[in-house]
Each structure stands twice: as structure tokens, then as C-alpha cells.
Amino acid sequence: MAGLILAIETSCDDTCAAVLDGPRILANTISSQAAAHARFGGVVPEVASRHHLDLAVPVVEDALAEADATLDEVEAVAVTVGPGLIGALLVGVSTAKALAAPRRLPLVPVDHLQGHVAANFLEPDPLEPPFLCLVASGGHTLLAAVRDHRGHEVLGQTLDDAAGEAFDKVARMLGLGYPGGPAIERLAAEGDADAFQLPVAMSRDPGLDFSFSGLKTALAYLCRDLGVEGVEERRADLAASFQAAAIGQLTAKLDRALRSGEWNAVALGGGVAANGPLREATAAICEKHGVRLKLVALELCTDNAAMIGSAARFAEGRDYPEYLDYDAFPTN
Ligand code: KG4
Ligand code: ZN
């Protein structure tokens, strides 16, 4: 077996490595640092970098072992170069260089957001462009026009907080752990989504941009008015009402984008795309418009290296030694 791609992703708090044979995933290893950040209620950049340093090599070794492959079979090393936490990214980029350079392998720098889009190009059942992709993660929320495999055009994006960031911050207000998204989803299942009327921001805005900071602030005021005991009593209702408003905004913008009639297929990406009610609400919108909905497995929604390897298949690699001074970038 030759021609494999080894991919590395360390943009936030997950240390990830994957081995790909074309669109086929041979290994997709993720070492979550969530426990290390939970007591801080969010990701501490310096803590993330230090954990990546400890975990990067073992995670790469695990991925190769799971793929039953050796470095000799690797044709290119792909790595996330941004956007993300700069210290965290640098650990991945340095690891990738250290693996590629002695073997004179090409290095493929990958944009993290294109990675989320490219998760849809993987087997099983790869989605071919063109399609509309809603990416909602802890750092980004955007609607992407995907017209070919190499990139995407941003049609609209959040003007302030990302959707996942809002889930994480509201989870913190409700005394739930980090990451907040899965905790809110679980709690919301026991609550009444109509209990509190929360604003669905940007719903009258004619464009495709998003905004989540107002919703977060509305929750903060509600919690203040309810007091500690009130919040404790109504936690499930608060989680359900917040989740409904957040999903309402995401699907309203998707609905608006589909009205152009340009798209025959929709895909979801990013950690928030793992949310069950969002997946169901998106399915309903797609059915209404008569377009196909592609939903990748949950482990391909949240950060992973298989999606980085997938994007690398269509990106330009850098030859040795050109990439030795290649740097990571924190934001676009
Ligand atoms: O894509 P991702 O793993 O990392 C970034 O690129 O940011 O997304 C992580 C985000 C976190 O904010 C997390 O709370 C959210 O995705 N998330 C969810 C769910 N699972 C993860 N949000 C809502 N519902 C979920 N089930
Ligand atoms: Zn991500």
C-alpha cells in the first residue's frame, strides 16, 4: 500500500491524526483534551499547546498502527495551518514538518474551515460539489458555497460569536460542563423549548450573516432574573429554549440561502452539526426545498484529522525544503 496521506489537526483542544487512502479513512484518531479544560469552563490556549506537545507523536503512532501502515507508505503529510489557537497550531505544523522533512515528503497546508467542508468528500457516500455547506463550530459559523473540491466561497458568517461558542457559554451559565453543546443537547431533551421566548436574531435581516451574542446576553439576563435557585429549577427549559432559538437562526439562514434555487444539495459541518435537533430541523428544510441533505458521521463533524486529509487531496503540496519556514496563522 503506497500513496497514503497522513494528516494532523491541532487547531484547538483535540489532538488528531488520520491516515487516508484516497477518500477512504484507514484511521481517524482523536485524543480529546476536554477533561483538561473542563474545570476552566473553556479551552485555555496554553494548556492546549502543552497537551498537544505530549500527545502529537503518540496520536500519530496510534493512527498509523490502526491503519496498519508505516511512514514508508505515506506519500504526503497534511496539516492544519489555521485558523485556530496559534500555539496549538504550531505544535501540529512542527510535528508535520518533522515527519515530512527527513523523508523529503511534500507537506500540504490545510485551512481548518475547508477541512470541515471536505469532510463531506470522504467515503462512505462522498458528496460531489456543487453544494451549500453550513459550518457551525466553536470558532466559526458560516454558509459556504462549495462549487469545486478546492475551496469555498463564504456567503454569510457570524458577526460576533460562533454558534458553538454560544452553546459553550450558555452551558457555563447553566452550570454544565465543557464542551457545552452535547451537555445542552442532553438537558434540552428533558425541557420545554417554548418555556422562554428568546429572540431569533437576524431573522428579519435580508442577508445570510448570523449573530449569536444577543441570544447569549438574553440568556444571561434571564438567569440573572431567575436567580440561582430559579435557574437550577428551570435548567432544562432554559437549555431547550436556547437550543431552539440557536437552531432557529441557523435553519432560517439556510432556508433563505436555498430560496435562490441554485443548490441541489446541502451539507453540515463543524461540531454543532453533531446536534440531533439541528440535523432534524435541517432535514425538514431540505425536504421542503426538495434538495439532498448529506450528513456525515458525528466524529467527522467535530474536529478530526480525516477532514484535513480529505481537503489535502485537492490542495497544493509544498516540496521540501520550501515548507521548512512555513508558519501557522491564528485567524483568516
Ligand atoms: O468543530 P469543532 O469540534 O471545533 C471547532 O472548530 O471549534 O466544534 C466544537 C464546538 C463546541 O462549541 C461544542 O460545544 C459544539 O461544537 N458541539 C455541539 C455539539 N457537539 C459539539 N453543539 C451543539 N450540539 C452538539 N451535540
Ligand atoms: Zn473545527
Side-chain angles (χ1 to χ4, degrees), residues 4-310:
L4 303 182
I5 292 180
L6 172 66
I8 296 171
E9 148 67 42
T10 63
S11 66
C12 192
D13 63 334
D14 293 314
T15 317
C16 315
V19 181
L20 256 60
D21 182 9
R24 209 156 60 87
I25 303 172
L26 302 185
N28 190 21
T29 307
I30 300 164
S31 178
S32 169
Q33 303 176 7
H37 299 280
R39 69 193 172 102
F40 303 109
V43 178
V44 182
E46 182 60 23
V47 173
S49 312
R50 286 168 191 270
H51 275 81
H52 285 310
L53 267 179
D54 290 338
L55 294 167
V57 171
V59 165
V60 167
E61 285 172 345
D62 278 6
L64 285 167
E66 195 190 321
D68 199 14
T70 66
L71 279 173
D72 293 339
E73 293 160 289
V74 170
E75 185 178 66
V77 179
V79 65
T80 309
V81 289
L85 303 172
I86 190 69
L89 289 161
L90 282 171
V91 177
V93 171
S94 305
T95 307
K97 285 180 189 173
L99 288 165
R103 294 168 184 83
R104 304 295 188 256
L105 294 173
L107 189 100
V108 193
V110 175
D111 174 271
H112 182 80
L113 293 169
Q114 181 60 18
H116 279 302
V117 168
N120 294 289
F121 306 150
L122 290 164
E123 284 185 358
D125 199 18
L127 182 63
E128 292 299 314
F131 60 87
L132 183 66
C133 189
L134 171 65
V135 179
S137 74
H140 304 270
T141 301
L142 56 104
L143 269 168
V146 185
R147 297 195 175 88
D148 61 52
H149 289 99
R150 292 187 307 275
H152 62 266
E153 181 197 347
V154 177
L155 300 177
Q157 60 188 323
T158 185
L159 302 175
D160 39 58
D161 291 354
E165 188 181 352
F167 271 89
D168 294 336
K169 286 179 177 164
V170 169
R172 209 163 145 178
M173 291 177 209
L174 302 184
L176 305 170
Y178 172 82
I184 296 252
E185 182 179 349
R186 276 192 299 276
L187 189 61
E190 300 159 23
D192 173 8
D194 295 322
F196 299 98
Q197 290 308 312
L198 291 166
V200 175
M202 311 291 283
S203 52
R204 280 187 294 275
D205 171 78
L208 296 175
D209 287 332
F210 301 86
S211 166
F212 288 95
S213 72
L215 176 57
K216 176 194 67 187
T217 307
L219 246 292
Y221 286 145
L222 253 181
C223 290
R224 186 194 60 188
D225 295 346
L226 285 166
V228 177
E229 276 171 27
V231 169
E232 188 58 37
E233 258 169 45
R234 309 292 305 275
R235 271 188 347 156
D237 288 344
L238 287 164
S241 302
F242 161 75
Q243 181 176 260
I247 292 174
Q249 186 186 155
L250 292 169
T251 51
K253 292 294 169 162
L254 185 64
D255 185 49
R256 191 184 292 276
L258 286 173
R259 279 185 228 152
S260 72
E262 183 186 348
W263 306 103
N264 293 321
V266 165
L268 293 183
V272 182
N275 183 277
L278 173 62
R279 290 163 89 94
E280 284 161 25
T282 307
I285 299 277
C286 289
E287 198 179 322
K288 181 179 109 181
H289 287 273
V291 303
R292 177 183 170 199
L293 172 62
K294 158 84 178 167
L295 292 173
V296 296
L298 299 192
E299 67 272 17
L300 292 176
C301 294
T302 44
D303 287 348
N304 66 88
M307 68 183 199
I308 302 304
S310 178

